[in-house]
Amino acid sequence: MRSFDEYRKIINDHLTDLIGDPGEEASELADAMRYSLEVGGKRLRPALLMASCEFAGGSVDEALPYALALEYIHTYSLIHDDLPAMDNDDLRRGKPTNHKVFGEAMAILAGDGLLSTAAEIVTGCPLKYFEDPEKMRNHIRAAHEIMSRAGARGMIAGQTADIKGENLEPTAELINFIELHKTADLITAPVRVGLMIAGADDDILERFTLYARDIGVAFQILDDILDIEGDQELLGKTLGKDAEQGKCNYAFVHGLGAAKEELHRLTAEAKEALAAYGDKASFFTELADSLEARNH
Ligand code: GRG
């Protein structure tokens, strides 16, 4: 196992390797896709994917295309989320949002380009393993996992509930649905995909799914807390938008104190899910702690 910084370096070194060349006539598309990828980001999801794969005995080389695909999907979701028709944001990752630099039409296309490139990458991976049916099966499972968690029963369902929930009286059920799908699905996907590529058994998959869901929900609760009392410069995005736009926010329903308690409870539960592995899982338990303490 490597450190988080080592995984992040691998991702950053290869970030645009699989973007491809859309041709001279469409060169602005590649510029817009690259812009949002290279403008920054913690690389949490791809790091989780590579770490899970190595934890279960797989290799970083095998995990890398999926890790890139996942960062492409995550980046597309941020580009589209920032559009005037959605959250209408000028700032992301500390820099002007994609549509502020390239215009709305190009930002929509850059998002579409990143999502479809990701689909192309993950459906291409199993094709390398025709001679090894077990590996091919693992890769098909992984490809399905990533696209379904990103899709209409995953992240898009969460985003829809978030948009439709604007200016409604938020309920605990609605908040849970949004956290689980808008955010936790794209944090659960990398963990499960990394394990699937490595051929991990159901017991490992189950424990790690619990871990990932908990840190994913905790991630969104902290995002909600930071929207209220975070540091705008550190976060690199406009704060106070949830109140301004009548968004569902965990702290609006349960209060800030309860939000902090739930963040802590979920972090503890996530670590407990991996207790059986002791120090072998320290990458993941330490990551859960550092996510609970993050200020950006
Ligand atoms: C518009 C298709 C579509 C989906 C939108 C991801 C998303 C769903 C909306 C973005 C807004 C938001 C608050 C999402 C929740 C997940 C989240 C906190 C994303 C930010 O993730 P970080 O902090 O971002 O890992 P970096 O920039 O570090 O990669």
Side-chain angles (χ1 to χ4, degrees):
M1 300 275 312
R2 295 154 216 246
S3 67
F4 190 93
D5 286 347
E6 286 169 317
Y7 290 123
R8 181 167 40 211
K9 181 169 183 340
I10 296 171
I11 279 294
N12 286 338
D13 286 349
H14 294 278
L15 194 60
T16 56
D17 286 6
L18 302 180
I19 285 296
D21 178 6
E24 210 178 305
E25 293 78 358
S27 62
E28 200 183 337
L29 174 64
D31 294 342
M33 289 161 76
R34 284 207 175 86
Y35 171 78
S36 288
L37 283 171
E38 288 176 336
V39 89
K42 294 184 276 299
R43 315 301 184 211
L44 168 65
R45 295 154 191 81
L48 268 171
L49 197 152
M50 292 189 285
S52 308
C53 189
E54 284 204 311
F55 177 86
S59 75
V60 152
D61 284 351
E62 227 177 309
L64 185 60
Y66 291 91
L68 291 172
L70 197 75
E71 190 65 9
Y72 294 176
I73 293 172
H74 168 59
T75 303
Y76 118 76
S77 77
L78 300 180
I79 295 174
H80 281 191
D81 187 65
D82 291 334
L83 285 166
M86 298 235 194
D87 272 9
N88 193 17
D89 250 303
D90 295 351
L91 209 59
R92 169 73 68 181
R93 293 174 165 174
K95 296 275 163 31
T97 44
N98 198 289
H99 66 273
K100 284 279 156 195
V101 179
F102 295 94
E104 277 182 52
M106 197 47 66
I108 292 170
L109 292 169
D112 293 343
L114 287 165
L115 173 62
S116 48
T117 302
E120 193 182 335
I121 295 168
V122 302
T123 51
C125 285
L127 301 176
K128 294 180 221 152
Y129 299 101
F130 270 125
E131 308 301 325
D132 186 342
E134 198 183 319
K135 262 208 169 303
M136 193 164 87
R137 177 186 158 275
N138 292 342
H139 277 261
I140 291 171
R141 261 185 104 190
H144 181 260
E145 175 78 20
I146 209 166
M147 296 316 296
S148 58
R149 294 245 178 214
R153 283 168 295 116
M155 179 179 71
I156 303 294
Q159 177 73 354
T160 304
D162 187 65
I163 298 271
K164 299 308 286 181
E166 275 176 27
N167 299 317
L168 294 182
E169 191 61 48
T171 62
E173 288 74 28
L174 181 60
I175 286 283
N176 286 348
F177 185 91
I178 293 171
E179 286 163 352
L180 211 50
H181 295 297
K182 184 177 86 167
T183 308
D185 272 341
L186 223 62
I187 289 179
T188 306
V191 170
R192 287 177 56 85
V193 165
L195 297 174
M196 284 173 177
I197 298 168
D201 65 32
D202 286 348
D203 182 56
I204 301 186
L205 264 169
E206 236 168 75
R207 290 174 198 265
F208 271 84
T209 303
L210 240 179
Y211 163 84
R213 198 196 57 201
D214 278 351
I215 63 163
V217 171
F219 193 88
Q220 184 57 51
I221 292 177
L222 183 50
D223 208 62
D224 289 353
I225 295 170
L226 291 172
D227 189 68
I228 297 168
E229 57 172 31
D231 178 322
Q232 181 150 313
E233 213 156 291
L234 277 175
L235 283 153
K237 62 179 184 181
T238 322
L239 299 187
K241 295 215 60 163
D242 291 349
E244 188 191 307
Q245 296 181 333
K247 287 273 189 195
C248 293
N249 177 311
Y250 190 94
F252 297 162
V253 179
H254 300 281
L256 256 179
K260 289 175 186 171
E261 272 170 32
E262 183 62 358
L263 167 66
H264 190 64
R265 189 194 69 75
L266 286 164
T267 305
E269 191 177 79
K271 293 188 289 183
E272 185 56 33
L274 305 186
Y277 305 114
D279 287 349
K280 205 180 163 235
S282 61
F283 173 93
F284 299 95
T285 50
E286 285 166 18
L287 180 62
D289 282 332
S290 70
L291 288 177
E292 183 185 358
R294 81 185 164 94
N295 54 13
H296 67 285

